[in-house]
Amino acid sequence: GSLAGNWRLLPSSSISASSSQYMNNRRRKNDYWKAKVRLNAAGHWRPSPFKAGQWVQWNFLENKVITQLRIQGSAGWWCKSCYATHRRRSWKGRRRRVGQWKSRGWLSNVELQYHEKGPIYWRKYDKKFGNYDPTTPVIFYLNPPVVAQEVRLVVKGWKDWPGLR
């Protein structure tokens, strides 16, 4: 089974990040964002501020063989009261549409870092990863597989809003 996507196999205490949109929110506990970084979650992890170099990591407590990486973007939310104005060449005026997607986006360039049990020396995986839309989970097969105690995904680039599930 998937370690990162399974609540029983990998508890929230094993997930950490450089920052999060919800990390210092007074109304929400600091662990609120950890539920959103899981695959097919209702929300998403989003770094704050939006800049390259932010990361999220998983600690498996012992060495594991990692054979694949699955990532998914941020589906966002539908704003019913938002207005979008569209203009077409053939129209004489503008047309208003009620509703639009907000906070939708994905990570287009992600770097995988990892280290084995023992002294922490982060290694970079040779290949870069990324999504192409906000909703489709993308599976990347690691060849060769990685043996690691901790795995870190470092944000290098994004489309619209950086978001990860």
Side-chain angles (χ1 to χ4, degrees), residues 28 40 63 70 112 144 154:
R28 296 190 170 121
N40 293 318
N63 283 346
R70 292 185 216 174
L112 173 64
V154 181

Side-chain angles (χ1 to χ4, degrees), residues 83-88 91-98:
Y83 290 96
T85 305
H86 298 279
R87 186 179 189 135
R88 290 192 180 170
W91 294 352
K92 294 289 181 189
R94 294 175 181 236
R95 179 177 162 199
R96 292 181 81 187
R97 183 187 77 194
V98 177

Side-chain angles (χ1 to χ4, degrees), residues 55-110:
W55 51 264
V56 61
Q57 74 184 29
W58 294 264
N59 184 346
F60 303 119
L61 304 177
E62 60 186 46
N63 283 346
K64 299 282 184 189
V65 177
I66 314 294
T67 58
Q68 62 180 264
L69 173 67
R70 292 185 216 174
I71 60 175
Q72 191 175 18
S74 164
W77 55 279
W78 183 255
C79 177
K80 291 181 188 175
S81 61
C82 297
Y83 290 96
T85 305
H86 298 279
R87 186 179 189 135
R88 290 192 180 170
R89 290 182 206 147
S90 62
W91 294 352
K92 294 289 181 189
R94 294 175 181 236
R95 179 177 162 199
R96 292 181 81 187
R97 183 187 77 194
V98 177
Q100 66 181 1
W101 284 101
K102 294 289 206 175
S103 301
R104 202 170 191 173
W106 61 91
L107 301 180
S108 59
N109 190 356
V110 180

Side-chain angles (χ1 to χ4, degrees), residues 8 22 91 125:
R8 291 178 199 94
Y22 302 110
W91 294 352
Y125 196 73

Side-chain angles (χ1 to χ4, degrees), residues 129-142:
F129 307 96
N131 278 77
Y132 51 84
D133 74 22
T135 56
T136 307
V138 179
I139 301 172
F140 298 98
Y141 295 97
L142 304 179

